[in-house]
Amino acid sequence: MAASVQVHPPLPALPRVPSLGTGLAAAALGAALVAGTAALLFLTSLVASAGYNNARLTDEKRSLEHQTQRLEAEVASLRSLDYVEAEAKAKLGMVGAPSHIFIQVDSRLKGR
Amino acid sequence: MPSAGISQWRLGLVLLTFAACTLALVGRIGYIQVIQHREFIQQADETHWAQETIAPQRGAIKDRSGHPLALSVATWEISLDFTRVPTKELRAQAVEAAAKATGVRRDEIEARLNSPPPARIAENVDFAQGKALAEAGLPGVVMQERVRRTYPEGSLGASLLGFVGRDRSGLTGLEADFDRDLAGVPGAMVFERDSVGNPIPLGYRSATQAKPGGDLVLTIDRYLQRIVERELNAAVTRHRAEGGTIIVMEPGTGAILALASRPTLDLRTLDLADNKTVELVRNRAITDLYEPGSTFKVITMASALNEGAVTPEMTHNDSGPVMKFGRPIDNWDRVHYGTQTMTQVLVRSNNVGAVWVADKLGPARFYPYVEKFGFGQPTYIGLSGEAAGFYRTPEHPMFSPIDLATNSFGQGITVTPLQMITATSAAVNGGQLMRPYIIDRIESPEGVRRFQPVVTRRVISEETSRKVRDMMKVVAEEGTSKKADVPGYYVGVKTGTANMIAETGGYSDATIASIVGFFPYQEPRAVVLAKLDHPKDSPFGSQVAAPVFAAIAREALVYWRVPPSQNALAYANRP
């Protein structure tokens, strides 16, 4: 007797329901991407800001160095002999040093 | 159908045209991409990458106590270039801003804009004043950083210091001779720039910092230098001299304490376009030769004393002009004193006596001393343009036996003022010829390089040197040089008057009046040489140069707080 084999059509595929873990992972990945992008933007902005800041400070440093040079020159001119003499005469009413007059005396007279 | 045929033909023509254009474009693109590839890459790099030279800070020149005589400050050079400025409004804005920053009138700026661009509006604009204009970033305004040399002490030591050119390199004097030490090493910055030319903040940037130049610290004392320049100016004016030179040297070390010559340049109003400037830049103390006249008798006497040919007390008889190879040699005053000591020969500046001393030595012993005292050769002070001087020895084909006689009192021999003071220093410092030097140290970021005194050679013994000092002291007290005497102190001097060489050959009536001397006698701290060229009121060193020596010595002794000699008494102070 021949055995009869009954062939059933394949069952229709059930719709896949994402598991809770996969969803969370996807959300986390998305969040990480967003956070990463935000962080990158933030860092880029920080670096850009630091770059501008650096350029500004370099410029300021150079400007201050030039100012220091100028002030050193000014101090030097204020300490120059001509200036000191002119100021001493004009503002302090000083006069030129008196000329010291010396005479030679006989050393034998010194004891008297 | 004919109409369809024409359409086909037209369509074909259009297609052919398009194909040809496409082919031409592809060909052009291929040419640019393949053949001109490198050229365009280079152009792109040049546009994209920028290199900026960072100018180093030029070192200062200071006196021995560290006071700056020359130093650099940053300034701007402002130009306008409207080649790429399209609108009149922008141009007007730039002109207005440039006029405000520089103080140059608008109409003057407009006039300069007629010349080929860029039109230079102003240089040496104060850095702070020009910075606002630089930051405004106006199109057409070209700002270039420059360095201006400033001189806090004015033109003090001008011929010695020299000056720098527009390219910041030294052109004359110490600025040129020590340019390598002063200039420093430029740095460089390579960076990516945007379309306007500004550095891209996040772009590549690499900088090699500039190394600042070293500071030159001189042996010059600014206080003494000022006294020397003041006295030289006064003497040149008073005696209507053509020029003059004064040097002050520390005899024990060879350090130059002051050095000035006239005529000279004014560093504050220097005009490099003026041809007269070229004539003024040379340092006459080392470049100009002259016949020293009777100041050279110190050298003749020191040589004879050292050889034992004479002593200070030895006598000779000055009975009249001495005949040398058919030519009479007479004293400067034509007075003859009969029997006189060697000290009196110096005191009276006696030519006949000097010839007698030279004869005692003979050329075989005289000329080696002239050489040992450093004449006829540079002193090697380290400044460019130094002359060697000249005299004839018996080996010279033009030597005449009369040369020995005339050389003994300083004629027929040419020297530089620096040689003369160096030799005199050797005569009074104990007998050692020192190499003169003017740089005490160079202070750079790498460290300090010091220059030490160098003994060139021993010329005479200490005992001979002491005798020379004694004899020069008597000259100051009793001799022709009484005007060089400094009340309260003992000094030693010798004056000289020599005829100048005429342009046509031979001697002219014009003279060079000079003096060499030292102070204080007990322990010489300074040797001074003062020389005035062609004074009009009196030709004599004793009248013209001696008071200059006295004025310098008097002030220097007070400045150094040297107490008056024991036998002196201060009796009055009067203004």
Side-chain angles (χ1 to χ4, degrees):
Chain A
M1 155 175 116
S4 63
V5 177
Q6 193 173 0
V7 178
H8 295 283
L11 290 170
L14 291 171
R16 290 187 69 182
V17 177
S19 68
L20 186 62
T22 310
L24 278 175
L29 188 64
L33 272 173
V34 170
T37 309
L40 186 67
L41 279 173
F42 180 67
L43 279 176
T44 309
S45 137
L46 270 186
V47 172
S49 168
Y52 279 114
N53 219 14
N54 182 33
R56 187 180 56 78
L57 287 173
T58 306
D59 193 41
E60 200 175 317
K61 177 176 170 264
R62 203 163 60 155
S63 181
L64 286 171
E65 280 172 355
H66 291 325
Q67 199 177 342
T68 307
Q69 286 170 22
R70 200 165 49 82
L71 289 171
E72 277 174 359
E74 204 174 319
V75 168
S77 67
L78 291 175
R79 292 175 68 188
S80 73
L81 294 170
D82 282 344
Y83 183 82
V84 170
E85 186 179 321
E87 287 291 293
K89 284 179 177 171
K91 287 190 177 170
L92 304 176
M94 295 174 83
V95 293
S99 52
H100 298 269
I101 306 296
F102 301 95
I103 56 165
Q104 306 286 338
V105 295
D106 193 329
S107 56
R108 287 171 300 180
L109 299 175
K110 283 205 309 184
R112 295 188 181 179
Chain B
M1 293 190 341
S3 61
I6 290 168
S7 292
Q8 284 292 327
W9 182 81
R10 282 181 179 168
L11 188 65
L13 192 64
V14 169
L15 281 175
L16 199 67
T17 308
F18 270 111
C21 287
T22 310
L23 202 66
L25 276 174
V26 168
R28 178 67 183 156
I29 290 167
Y31 182 74
I32 289 170
Q33 290 282 356
V34 180
I35 310 292
Q36 290 188 310
H37 172 76
R38 284 180 185 280
E39 199 180 317
F40 278 101
I41 286 281
Q42 194 180 340
Q43 275 187 27
D45 282 349
E46 279 172 10
T47 313
H48 185 62
W49 294 96
Q51 179 164 346
E52 200 175 80
T53 304
I54 304 171
Q57 164 81 0
R58 189 176 177 84
I61 302 179
K62 300 175 176 175
D63 87 330
R64 65 191 297 135
S65 52
H67 291 284
L69 303 174
L71 72 168
S72 296
V73 290
T75 58
W76 295 103
E77 182 181 305
I78 300 175
S79 309
L80 292 179
D81 185 352
F82 290 156
T83 317
R84 293 181 184 176
V85 183
T87 63
K88 279 187 176 179
E89 289 73 24
L90 284 173
R91 292 181 180 196
Q93 202 180 346
V95 169
E96 183 65 41
K100 194 178 169 188
T102 59
V104 181
R105 289 204 321 273
R106 281 195 63 170
D107 54 339
E108 204 174 319
I109 294 176
E110 299 282 0
R112 286 184 203 178
L113 285 169
N114 293 328
S115 56
R120 195 194 303 159
I121 306 304
E123 51 186 345
N124 291 333
V125 176
D126 184 75
F127 194 83
Q129 197 181 339
K131 195 165 180 290
L133 183 62
E135 283 172 349
L138 293 171
V141 178
V142 183
M143 306 281 295
Q144 284 179 299
E145 267 189 53
R146 293 273 182 251
V147 172
R148 181 165 56 94
R149 213 64 170 146
T150 62
Y151 305 94
E153 299 287 344
S155 269
L156 203 71
S159 59
L160 180 64
L161 300 182
F163 52 83
V164 296
R166 285 173 57 83
D167 61 350
R168 302 171 186 163
S169 58
L171 295 181
T172 65
L174 290 169
E175 297 275 20
D177 293 336
F178 292 87
D179 191 51
R180 208 174 53 175
D181 298 292
L182 287 164
V185 182
M189 186 166 73
V190 180
F191 56 91
E192 287 179 279
R193 60 182 170 187
D194 59 19
S195 57
V196 190
N198 293 323
I200 299 170
L202 291 174
Y204 176 83
R205 181 186 292 229
S206 166
T208 313
Q209 289 304 316
K211 283 184 187 169
D215 289 346
L216 226 58
V217 182
L218 309 182
T219 56
I220 295 288
D221 183 310
R222 67 169 181 158
Y223 189 85
L224 285 180
Q225 180 73 24
R226 189 163 176 264
I227 294 169
V228 159
E229 298 213 6
R230 188 190 66 207
E231 292 302 324
L232 184 56
N233 286 340
V236 167
T237 307
R238 192 184 313 127
H239 303 291
R240 286 173 282 125
E242 284 177 1
T245 298
I246 300 180
I247 309 176
V248 183
M249 179 184 273
E250 205 171 59
T253 61
I256 305 290
L257 301 176
L259 186 151
S261 59
R262 294 290 180 276
T264 190
L265 41 91
D266 189 339
L267 294 169
R268 294 162 297 186
T269 56
L270 195 64
D271 180 10
L272 294 180
D274 189 353
N275 285 336
K276 286 178 188 167
T277 306
V278 179
E279 175 63 19
L280 298 175
V281 295
R282 73 175 192 271
N283 187 350
R284 289 155 200 268
I286 62 165
T287 59
D288 285 17
L289 294 168
Y290 75 109
E291 296 198 357
S294 294
T295 54
F296 199 79
K297 285 172 186 159
V298 173
I299 306 302
T300 305
M301 197 61 77
S303 308
L305 287 168
N306 201 56
E307 280 294 298
V310 298
T311 64
E313 299 78 27
M314 185 180 277
T315 58
H316 94 109
N317 186 23
D318 172 19
S319 54
V322 59
M323 292 300 289
K324 284 287 173 188
F325 308 97
R327 291 185 189 177
I329 292 177
D330 206 349
N331 291 326
W332 65 275
D333 54 0
R334 306 196 192 286
V335 177
H336 299 275
Y337 296 92
T339 303
Q340 59 183 352
T341 64
M342 291 301 105
T343 302
Q344 285 170 324
V345 167
L346 281 189
V347 166
R348 293 165 181 160
S349 198
N350 194 284
N351 290 347
V352 174
V355 173
W356 183 81
V357 172
D359 279 343
K360 291 275 285 177
L361 272 175
R365 288 197 291 174
F366 176 72
Y367 286 106
Y369 273 99
V370 175
E371 188 188 352
K372 283 205 302 188
F373 270 111
F375 296 106
Q377 58 209 286
T379 64
Y380 300 107
I381 188 175
L383 303 175
S384 57
E386 189 183 8
F390 178 75
Y391 61 92
R392 286 189 288 260
T393 60
E395 290 77 36
H396 194 278
M398 300 287 284
F399 180 79
S400 155
I402 203 170
D403 283 339
L404 176 66
T406 55
N407 290 167
S408 71
F409 53 87
Q411 297 268 194
I413 176 171
T414 57
V415 305
T416 64
L418 185 65
Q419 280 177 336
M420 195 61 218
I421 195 171
T422 307
T424 310
S425 293
V428 301
N429 73 359
Q432 303 209 94
L433 186 76
M434 304 301 298
R435 182 188 296 171
Y437 70 106
I438 202 151
I439 309 295
D440 182 69
R441 59 189 183 275
I442 298 173
E443 297 173 345
S444 65
E446 284 83 37
V448 178
R449 191 148 51 100
R450 286 185 181 279
F451 291 77
Q452 302 291 339
V454 175
V455 179
T456 306
R457 66 181 83 90
R458 174 165 286 284
V459 184
I460 55 174
S461 68
E462 284 195 26
E463 178 58 19
T464 304
S465 178
R466 189 188 57 74
K467 287 175 185 170
V468 173
R469 286 201 300 272
D470 289 347
M471 292 168 90
M472 289 176 75
K473 173 174 165 277
V474 180
V475 174
E477 289 168 349
E478 302 174 7
T480 54
S481 318
K482 275 186 180 170
K483 287 191 174 179
D485 194 23
V486 181
Y489 296 92
Y490 293 122
V491 300
V493 297
K494 182 71 195 82
T495 54
T497 306
N499 287 88
M500 292 172 80
I501 298 165
E503 285 180 10
T504 52
Y507 290 107
S508 70
D509 289 335
T511 63
I512 288 178
S514 65
I515 187 168
V516 285
F518 64 92
F519 56 85
Y521 160 74
Q522 292 83 350
E523 199 179 325
R525 284 186 66 172
V527 174
V528 174
L529 179 145
K531 157 184 170 289
L532 288 163
D533 306 335
H534 196 186
K536 304 294 187 304
D537 57 345
S538 167
F540 301 115
S542 54
Q543 300 296 315
V544 174
V548 177
F549 171 86
I552 293 169
R554 193 165 46 235
E555 289 214 35
L557 286 163
V558 173
Y559 171 55
W560 285 330
R561 297 173 190 273
V562 177
S565 304
Q566 277 192 338
N567 286 355
L569 173 71
Y571 88 158
N573 284 330
R574 64 182 183 201

